[in-house]
Amino acid sequence: MKTPGDTGFAFPEWAYKPESSPGSRQIQLWHFILELLRKEEYHDVIAWQGDYGEFVIKDPDEVARLWGARKCKPQMNYDKLSRALRYYYNKRILHKTKGKRFTYKFNFNKLVLVNYPFIDMGSTGSSVPQSAPPVPTGAGTHFRFPPSTPSEVLSPNEDLRSPGGMFSSVTRRMARGSVSDCSDGTSVNSEIEEGNSGAPDERGERGVSGGGGPGGGGGYRSIIHPRLSHETLFRMYGGPGPGGASLLAPPLSPALSMTPTSHLPYTPSPTLSPMLGSHFSFNPEDMKRYLQAHTQSVYNYGLSPRAFLQYPNIVIPQPHRPAADKAALNAERGTAERAERAATAGGERGGERHHHPSLAHSAHHLPHHPHSAHPHPHSHPMHYPLHLGEEPPHMSPFKFKLQPPPLGRKQREGQSQSKPRQSSLSSGSGSMSSTSGLGSSLSFGSDLSSASGSGVISASSSTQSLSSAGLPKIKVEPISDIESEEEVEVTDISDEDPDERDEEYEHFSLRHSRASDHQQPNHRLANGTSASQHHEEDLDEDVFKAPAPPPPGLMPFFSSQHPHSSAQRGLPAVKSEPAEPGESNTSPSQTAATGAAQTKCIPLKLRFKRRWSEDQRMETSQEESDDKKVRPEEERERGKQSNGCMEMEEDGTGSGEGDSPPPLAYEGSLGTPLASHQRVSAELHRATAQLSLENKDC
DNA sequence: AGCGGAACAT
DNA sequence: ATGTTCCGCT
């Protein structure tokens, strides 16, 4: 069966294209870069090197060529490509490693969230290699880092296993889609494939083990997305099945598992990530680690709001807490296996720094089982989202900056002069749709929309469709606000987010703003002042600590009390409908009852605001610039011309998505009825599946 | 090399 | 929204 999704359900776009944003569905440069990085074949042109996420472009021209090929822009050169990379600075996706030529560093925090929201940062995974970015694999489980080997990333097989093994990597094989996107077939891919070739079949080939069942086996990659069996997924996420009430219960992100004790903590299957196949995937564990290590708090960073939106469940680690806590968190999910291996416990961070790829350092210990009970109040790692526990409603004076509508060049032009470049006249006027986003943002049901970006408000198409389609309810989002961020804190970046700021800020920031941080109206300041003087690091740290209000029972996420906050903002807290805000269900049970309940509530959209800091944290400090923002918005629509490039076609591998929709259930609402949940799940599944395909156009 | 503004393109 | 293309400044 197809799920509705197939048909037409609207699904969260993000699902399809995590990376790409709303508007563009094409492959994004960072994505492409990751693809290259993961492939050994390209190590001579680009490779991980240095700290986490750091990579060096050994052959700029070649990279540019490849990129140009992928985008059908033969004129591409490093100068242009680098310009594009520079745009990532503001987005925090990437940073330049100062002092090293052609060396940049990914800010996985951001990426992760975006792509794999479900990741819980709480846990750690295994060790990390060095620079390689994390790859999320499955949902729930863990993350791993792909060391330098690209291939691994691609192939999920490894995942199945455990991280440890994978590291070794060696495998390579495939490239297939690696690059993923679509078409690489064309140029890039082709090249890639050359290397190894065979792409085409990966599916069959690998075989995988998986076991699982999905239908056929499909291989490794497939394991996850395309064909995940529903069962599996469900299980993981808590399936709908008879027993599985999990869905209901805590709607968390799939990945996280539901805590409810019930059963299925995570599932047996190791990998499942929905997205894996498609683009590059990060391992969750790795990511976590990465994140933790670097950032620790999500809060700080701000993930992009969008990212969270979709996954309300994400658990974010609590802010600042010492390692210990973290560890605990991590543990939760932990698969025992990993844990064992890790054994080390110690040093996460420190270890990381090393550059050994090996996993040795990994360490995370796992203390307890995932679902076992945990004493810690707020620490439930996976399951519940972070803040739940604590989020006070606060609103603090953050700095959100709202910006007035930008004006742009267009205006400028108008005023000032004509454009130099083109003589034509476009009509300029008109269109600024962009602004819309800011203001509103309410997304209701569809996360996706928000996710997508522009969506903010949007209800636009996607949303609508949802609603219309029938999914309307899914929404789940209601809470999102709540979640929000609570923590968000600050970090330096504070400012930066111009773009999002609005949107997101509104939601969460405001709302929660919090008490905790009280400190700072402006993050930075605060730090400086009170906290410390150091630069970034301090900031981060501060950040971490800052918040912390923990009253245990307090956090009503959104539901309970939202009044103030939400009210203020005007957001409708309830976007969705069905839900349940109030109290709804909290029943549950188990363990964390309270917590859990709250948890459930978790908002869908969690969005955090601030972002990045992390990067900086590292060594370079570059951060200062946060403010900039990019955003020109103007959209003019002028004529468009077509280009003609098309080249390719790729293998088609992909396709498999149609069928099985893996359900990820994360819905978030607490009270939401099962049905809704299920739906959501289904949708998610679908989305996931599709993810793989993601791109393909050109 | 690298940065970033602008205008233009999708 | 994400690049691409130019280009001037460091």
Side-chain angles (χ1 to χ4, degrees):
Chain A
M1 339 254 286
K2 307 187 124 288
T3 54
D6 286 350
T7 339
F9 238 176
F11 220 35
E13 298 178 351
W14 50 272
Y16 304 98
K17 46 187 197 182
E19 45 269 354
S20 45
S21 28
S24 53
R25 22 183 85 102
Q26 262 199 340
I27 186 171
Q28 292 195 304
L29 178 58
W30 62 267
H31 207 298
F32 178 80
I33 295 290
L34 286 170
E35 289 280 344
L36 295 178
L37 287 166
R38 72 188 219 198
K39 300 187 177 224
E40 294 180 1
E41 299 88 300
Y42 297 95
H43 278 198
D44 48 344
V45 299
I46 186 171
W48 292 111
Q49 173 232 50
D51 285 335
Y52 294 113
E54 214 171 70
F55 64 92
V56 58
I57 295 174
K58 297 172 182 176
D59 187 343
D61 294 333
E62 180 62 11
V63 172
R65 189 181 68 77
L66 294 170
W67 174 236
R70 185 98 168 71
K71 296 289 296 286
C72 301
K73 296 286 182 186
Q75 305 285 56
M76 184 54 64
N77 56 35
Y78 180 72
D79 180 55
K80 293 170 185 172
L81 182 147
S82 65
R83 182 69 190 86
L85 291 174
R86 275 180 244 130
Y87 275 120
Y88 287 139
Y89 300 170
N90 291 327
K91 293 176 179 173
R92 281 27 138 262
I93 290 172
L94 203 69
H95 289 317
K96 180 74 184 69
T97 296
K98 292 175 181 161
K100 296 179 183 176
R101 281 175 76 156
F102 308 117
T103 301
Y104 298 83
K105 183 169 176 268
F106 275 102
N107 176 344
F108 289 102
N109 290 313
K110 177 132 192 184
L111 295 178
V112 173
L113 295 173
V114 174
N115 296 291
Y116 305 87
F118 31 89
I119 294 177
D120 38 346
M121 324 202 115
S123 57
T124 30
S126 32
S127 59
V128 177
Q130 29 211 32
S131 24
V135 176
T137 40
T141 345
H142 18 318
F143 302 157
R144 57 168 178 14
F145 243 143
S148 15
T149 348
S151 4
E152 304 172 358
V153 175
L154 290 179
S155 29
N157 348 350
E158 351 149 354
D159 337 84
L160 290 179
R161 342 188 278 324
S162 51
M166 334 186 30
F167 282 170
S168 14
S169 70
V170 180
T171 57
R172 51 158 73 263
R173 62 148 134 313
M174 54 184 279
R176 147 208 193 210
S178 35
V179 171
S180 52
D181 313 298
C182 39
S183 31
D184 329 38
T186 331
S187 42
V188 171
N189 263 345
S190 48
E191 295 181 355
I192 293 174
E193 295 183 0
E194 291 176 1
N196 332 286
S197 76
D201 20 330
E202 23 234 40
R203 294 172 163 219
E205 223 190 26
R206 260 112 194 309
V208 165
S209 45
Y220 43 86
R221 251 193 184 133
S222 1
I223 314 178
I224 310 179
H225 57 303
R227 339 172 156 248
L228 297 179
S229 49
H230 296 47
E231 289 185 357
T232 312
L233 290 179
F234 277 119
R235 288 171 151 204
M236 289 177 97
Y237 304 127
S246 27
L247 286 178
L248 305 181
L252 305 175
S253 57
L256 308 177
S257 70
M258 341 247 23
T259 344
T261 42
S262 31
H263 12 7
L264 340 160
Y266 325 110
T267 296
S269 15
T271 22
L272 330 163
S273 63
M275 341 198 124
L276 280 171
S278 24
H279 7 335
F280 64 113
S281 24
F282 284 163
N283 249 351
E285 290 181 356
D286 294 345
M287 280 290 202
K288 290 177 183 177
R289 246 180 132 306
Y290 177 85
L291 293 178
Q292 286 185 345
H294 275 276
T295 4
Q296 313 200 346
S297 42
V298 178
Y299 311 86
N300 298 336
Y301 297 69
L303 330 160
S304 48
R306 310 166 175 174
F308 290 132
L309 306 178
Q310 308 108 0
Y311 304 81
N313 316 327
I314 298 177
V315 173
I316 298 181
Q318 302 236 339
H320 33 326
R321 257 182 175 164
D325 291 355
K326 289 179 185 175
L329 293 177
N330 297 342
E332 74 259 30
R333 56 185 35 262
T335 18
E337 317 167 57
R338 279 200 233 57
E340 294 178 356
R341 118 183 197 229
T344 339
E348 320 173 75
R349 284 187 166 203
E352 300 168 356
R353 273 212 162 297
H354 300 137
H355 14 312
H356 298 7
S358 38
L359 4 128
H361 16 325
S362 53
H364 297 0
H365 46 300
L366 282 184
H368 14 338
H369 293 306
H371 45 320
S372 352
H374 337 24
H376 264 83
H378 59 305
S379 56
H380 294 337
M382 24 194 123
H383 331 16
Y384 309 63
L386 18 127
H387 357 22
L388 295 168
E390 54 194 6
E391 214 167 341
H394 14 330
M395 340 216 102
S396 50
F398 252 58
K399 58 174 21 145
F400 325 73
K401 4 170 117 193
L402 289 186
Q403 252 183 296
L407 344 156
R409 353 161 170 185
K410 244 189 189 168
Q411 292 192 349
R412 292 175 88 188
E413 289 179 359
Q415 295 174 351
S416 16
Q417 63 188 31
S418 49
K419 356 175 131 202
R421 278 190 179 194
Q422 264 189 346
S423 44
S424 54
L425 34 127
S426 38
S427 50
S429 46
S431 38
M432 283 249 321
S433 49
S434 54
T435 44
S436 55
L438 303 175
S440 39
S441 81
L442 315 170
S443 25
F444 39 74
S446 37
D447 327 2
L448 21 147
S449 53
S450 47
S452 39
S454 46
V456 184
I457 316 186
S458 59
S460 27
S461 48
S462 46
T463 310
Q464 278 189 345
S465 46
L466 284 176
S467 359
S468 334
L471 227 162
K473 321 176 125 249
I474 299 188
K475 2 246 18 348
V476 188
E477 312 209 0
I479 335 173
S480 27
D481 315 5
I482 338 176
E483 75 233 5
S484 23
E485 17 294 12
E486 28 264 342
E487 25 280 349
V488 181
E489 303 321 301
V490 175
T491 318
D492 25 358
I493 333 184
S494 33
D495 331 0
E496 357 276 28
D497 352 355
D499 296 283
E500 310 161 23
R501 50 175 167 214
D502 313 355
E503 306 170 355
E504 318 174 3
Y505 283 108
E506 293 180 81
H507 291 333
F508 31 123
S509 304
L510 296 179
R511 297 171 111 253
H512 305 26
S513 21
R514 90 198 342 12
S516 20
D517 352 354
H518 27 313
Q519 305 187 332
Q520 42 203 42
N522 298 340
H523 351 327
R524 270 193 174 187
L525 282 173
N527 288 342
T529 324
S530 47
S532 27
Q533 40 237 46
H534 307 355
H535 348 44
E536 342 167 338
E537 294 182 358
D538 293 352
L539 293 176
D540 293 31
E541 294 181 352
D542 287 353
V543 173
F544 299 140
K545 30 175 97 197
L554 341 159
M555 270 294 297
F557 303 103
F558 84 28
S559 42
S560 322
Q561 44 196 17
H562 34 344
H564 352 353
S565 27
S566 48
Q568 289 192 349
R569 275 211 100 331
L571 290 177
V574 189
K575 342 170 129 212
S576 25
E577 49 178 327
E580 45 270 336
E583 46 113 15
S584 56
N585 25 324
T586 43
S587 44
S589 31
Q590 339 178 14
T591 6
T594 40
Q598 292 178 351
T599 312
K600 286 174 169 186
C601 297
I602 309 173
L604 286 181
K605 328 173 140 216
L606 289 186
R607 331 157 151 233
F608 294 81
K609 223 339 29 6
R610 278 184 164 50
R611 8 165 94 329
W612 88 331
S613 23
E614 228 198 324
D615 323 358
Q616 311 200 336
R617 191 192 183 266
M618 6 182 43
E619 325 178 61
T620 46
S621 33
Q622 338 181 150
E623 58 226 24
E624 62 261 208
S625 46
D626 12 7
D627 329 327
K628 327 190 118 248
K629 159 184 244 82
V630 180
R631 53 159 257 336
E633 31 246 323
E634 342 190 347
E635 337 208 343
R636 10 176 107 227
E637 328 191 5
R638 335 163 140 204
K640 343 180 136 236
Q641 305 167 342
S642 49
N643 48 351
C645 12
M646 6 191 69
E647 327 177 0
M648 61 174 325
E649 54 237 271
E650 143 154 322
D651 27 357
T653 30
S655 32
E657 49 284 24
D659 347 2
S660 40
L664 304 177
Y666 57 166
E667 28 289 339
S669 37
L670 4 106
T672 323
L674 294 183
S676 305
H677 286 290
Q678 292 186 344
R679 276 192 195 140
V680 174
S681 312
E683 290 179 320
L684 283 179
H685 270 263
R686 270 188 113 301
T688 312
Q690 299 213 346
L691 257 167
S692 357
L693 308 184
E694 294 185 6
N695 345 321
K696 20 201 48 251
D697 11 314
C698 193

